[in-house]
Amino acid sequence: MITALFIYNSKGDVLMSKLYNEGVKRNISDVFRIQVMSVNSQHYSNGGNGGREVRSPVLTLGSTSFIYIKSGLLWICAVTRSNQDCSAILEFLYKLESLLKVMLDETPGEKVLTEDLIVNNFSLVYELLDEVVEFGYPTNLELSYLQNLLTSVSANDKIFKLSNNALAGAKSLNSGLSRRKTVKLNSLNITWRNPDIKYRRNEIFLNVEEKINVLMNAQAEVLKAYVDGKILMKTHLSGMPECRFGLNDDSLVLNSMSADRSAIPHSGSVTLEDCKFHQSVELNKFDSDRVIQFIPPDGEFQLMSYNCMLNINLPFEVYPQVHQLGNLRLLYKLRIKSLFPSKIPATGVQIKIPTPKGVINSYSTNSLGKSKYHPEENYIIWKFNKFFGNQEHDLTAEVEVPHSSDADIKNLLNWTRPPIKLEFTIDMFSCSGLTVKFLRVQEKSNYRTVKWVKYTSQSGSYDIRY
């Protein structure tokens, strides 16, 4: 989002610069100085009568945009490439300005950014710019979060003073929140949860939701398959509980950028890639013990997302056969087999079988469910209310196209045969094989917690070629 960030003094000199991504060079700062700062300086030097004043906070030149604010005599400018969300970047710049004011200006009263404050605290400001933006995207600007990240001695001293000042001001701004509770919250470095939450019934819900995408041929051989998964939580817990749950003992986390996949163990293992966690998760615990430990926010949130591209548990296999009978008819024979446990039902199962356009006659028979030709969609749709595991069912269908000209025969012969599409939802089944071994909640009051764990797998793009 943000390619570079510059802080200028009133003369147009660059006090601080930070390049986050490739695409611009440092001399891009001269463009902003000439196009914005020099024009405004000329306008005011002539008493507002000469030259033009640049009032817009965004200057776009070609594919490069300069988004800026003015703080006292200083200018803070973010440089972006291509089309970006200017309102989000402006909001970030104003929050950065407020953060710099409180961190650098220790004088009471209204705080003002000056050139001396930036120059005298160069290392602190540079380290701060490095922490609040990651790969061009703004991150967390909370003081309690930054307190343990800035490593310089001067940074820690100022953050400590800042925390005290912020706590003193919080009491006057919000009389309902006591100083003691605010100090406790900041000491734990937890900005996503209030310690005063109370529930009569303490519950925690953990949902493992996966979407499987498959492309297979007519022999049910998998050409491509991957799973997009996420773990959703809903917590109704009192106080400041610590939650822990463990995954499969043989689960393995890989980086998707890594080309070395030879270290993958036996075929029954669980392979997760591109794992992304909520900020509350203690990552060192997951790396060492495969245990996810966190103090959760209140309510609903996404704890984790992941991908799986290896050792996938396919829920269905489909074996299609399509034969052309003469010049005007097609015969379909379809067999679908479920591979999940027999006690688990799949719901919303629907198979869409494409047909040529302009079908004038059709019939179908099937061993279970209902099938019907839909001329508006050019599909034979085979539906099941419930499809239990370890079952096989068959469908036979025939369609006929009109014979009004040789063009109809040619269209049938040249029919592109779009893939058969399968839709379904299966509860208590994981396509990646991910399982939760245990779920524990610890809190100093030692209350009893009701725990719920649920798995849901559904189709994404589940296509069968024939």
Side-chain angles (χ1 to χ4, degrees):
M1 179 180 287
I2 298 176
T3 306
L5 194 143
F6 299 96
I7 300 178
Y8 299 83
N9 64 8
S10 58
K11 299 178 182 179
D13 299 327
V14 178
L15 303 178
M16 185 75 60
S17 65
K18 181 70 176 176
L19 301 183
Y20 295 105
N21 291 311
E22 298 179 356
V24 298
K25 298 180 180 179
R26 293 190 185 275
N27 58 10
I28 196 74
S29 60
D30 296 335
V31 178
F32 177 77
R33 176 175 54 82
I34 296 171
Q35 296 291 333
V36 177
M37 298 184 64
S38 297
V39 172
N40 279 348
S41 177
Q42 181 181 3
H43 174 82
Y44 288 112
S45 64
N46 293 328
N49 298 320
R52 62 182 178 86
E53 181 187 8
V54 180
R55 292 182 176 272
S56 171
V58 181
L59 171 66
T60 301
L61 300 173
S63 60
T64 304
S65 296
F66 299 86
I67 305 166
Y68 58 91
I69 62 173
K70 191 174 182 182
S71 177
L73 298 177
L74 302 185
W75 299 72
I76 305 176
C77 174
V79 182
T80 68
R81 300 282 288 176
S82 70
N83 187 20
Q84 301 295 343
D85 188 346
C86 294
S87 60
I89 297 176
L90 278 172
E91 181 182 4
F92 162 75
L93 293 179
Y94 281 114
K95 288 184 177 180
L96 177 63
E97 178 197 16
S98 301
L99 186 62
L100 289 173
K101 283 181 179 179
V102 182
M103 290 182 63
L104 305 181
D105 189 358
E106 301 175 12
T107 59
E110 185 178 355
K111 301 181 183 300
V112 180
L113 276 184
T114 64
E115 180 177 350
D116 291 338
L117 288 176
I118 299 295
V119 173
N120 295 337
N121 298 278
F122 179 86
S123 59
L124 170 59
V125 176
Y126 192 84
E127 191 176 3
L128 177 67
L129 295 181
D130 190 50
E131 292 293 347
V132 297
V133 177
E134 294 286 346
F135 303 105
Y137 290 89
T139 56
N140 198 335
L141 276 76
E142 291 285 343
L143 272 180
S144 56
Y145 170 77
L146 295 170
Q147 180 175 357
N148 297 326
L149 296 180
L150 302 180
T151 56
S152 63
V153 176
S154 60
N156 288 333
D157 292 341
K158 289 185 178 296
I159 291 289
F160 178 74
K161 295 176 182 178
L162 173 60
S163 298
N164 292 336
N165 293 337
L167 292 179
K171 186 173 182 180
S172 61
L173 292 175
N174 187 358
S175 58
L177 185 62
S178 69
R179 179 183 178 87
R180 178 180 58 83
K181 294 172 183 175
T182 308
V183 172
K184 179 181 178 181
L185 186 59
N186 282 342
S187 65
L188 290 174
N189 195 24
I190 297 172
T191 60
W192 56 85
R193 184 179 179 88
N194 189 325
D196 295 333
I197 299 173
K198 291 184 180 180
Y199 285 99
R200 182 173 299 177
R201 176 184 173 92
N202 293 285
E203 295 179 298
I204 181 170
F205 301 84
L206 189 154
N207 297 330
V208 180
E209 296 187 0
E210 295 184 341
K211 183 173 291 186
I212 180 170
N213 303 274
V214 175
L215 178 63
M216 64 174 59
N217 61 17
Q219 290 73 42
E221 297 174 345
V222 177
L223 306 177
K224 181 179 68 173
Y226 63 94
V227 173
D228 293 326
K230 56 186 177 181
I231 298 179
L232 302 179
M233 302 285 297
K234 183 167 75 170
T235 60
H236 295 158
L237 301 173
S238 304
M240 297 291 284
E242 183 179 75
C243 302
R244 301 173 74 247
F245 70 88
L247 303 177
N248 313 53
D249 297 332
D250 54 357
S251 62
L252 176 66
V253 178
L254 294 180
N255 189 331
S256 63
M257 301 300 293
S258 173
D260 181 16
R261 296 175 183 251
S262 59
I264 297 172
H266 56 86
S267 60
S269 65
V270 178
T271 305
L272 304 183
E273 304 183 13
D274 296 329
C275 295
K276 298 178 183 178
F277 296 92
H278 188 269
Q279 61 176 330
S280 61
V281 176
E282 299 180 19
L283 298 180
N284 57 338
K285 290 285 186 181
F286 181 74
D287 292 336
S288 59
D289 305 328
R290 295 295 183 265
V291 173
I292 298 179
Q293 182 171 309
F294 59 101
I295 296 178
D298 186 47
E300 299 182 12
F301 65 99
Q302 179 174 305
L303 181 71
M304 174 184 176
S305 65
Y306 58 89
N307 301 112
C308 179
M309 302 184 69
L310 299 170
N311 302 332
I312 295 175
N313 300 321
L314 288 182
F316 290 99
E317 289 180 346
V318 180
Y319 301 87
Q321 295 181 16
V322 180
H323 305 286
Q324 188 166 340
L325 305 178
N327 294 328
L328 303 174
R329 291 185 298 164
L330 287 178
L331 176 65
Y332 296 85
K333 291 185 178 180
L334 196 73
R335 178 165 58 94
I336 179 172
K337 180 180 180 181
S338 55
L339 306 178
F340 46 91
S342 58
K343 294 184 179 180
I344 297 178
T347 58
V349 179
Q350 179 174 277
I351 307 174
K352 291 185 174 182
I353 308 166
T355 66
K357 294 182 180 179
V359 171
I360 59 173
N361 192 17
S362 67
Y363 83 91
S364 61
T365 59
N366 46 267
S367 58
L368 185 70
K370 296 181 180 180
S371 58
K372 183 180 179 182
Y373 171 66
H374 293 257
E376 69 281 0
E377 300 182 36
N378 297 311
Y379 277 113
I380 297 174
I381 299 182
W382 187 14
K383 293 183 179 180
F384 301 83
N385 289 330
K386 287 187 178 181
F387 197 127
F388 284 87
N390 289 330
Q391 289 187 355
E392 290 188 20
H393 295 289
D394 302 295
L395 174 138
T396 301
E398 186 175 324
V399 298
E400 181 180 356
V401 297
H403 182 197
S404 58
S405 64
D406 293 337
D408 294 329
I409 299 177
K410 185 177 180 180
N411 290 336
L412 182 60
L413 293 175
N414 296 331
W415 180 46
T416 57
R417 296 196 177 191
I420 296 171
K421 296 184 178 294
L422 176 60
E423 300 175 4
F424 58 85
T425 300
I426 309 174
D427 290 331
M428 304 313 294
F429 178 77
S430 172
C431 293
S432 67
L434 182 71
T435 56
V436 178
K437 293 296 184 180
F438 63 87
L439 174 59
R440 299 175 186 148
V441 178
Q442 295 179 343
E443 214 273 340
K444 63 179 183 179
S445 60
N446 199 25
Y447 52 69
R448 182 180 177 184
T449 306
V450 181
K451 308 165 190 174
W452 306 87
V453 178
K454 181 182 178 182
Y455 304 86
T456 303
S457 293
Q458 61 180 3
S459 57
S461 174
Y462 209 104
D463 297 344
I464 302 95
R465 293 178 178 173
Y466 53 94

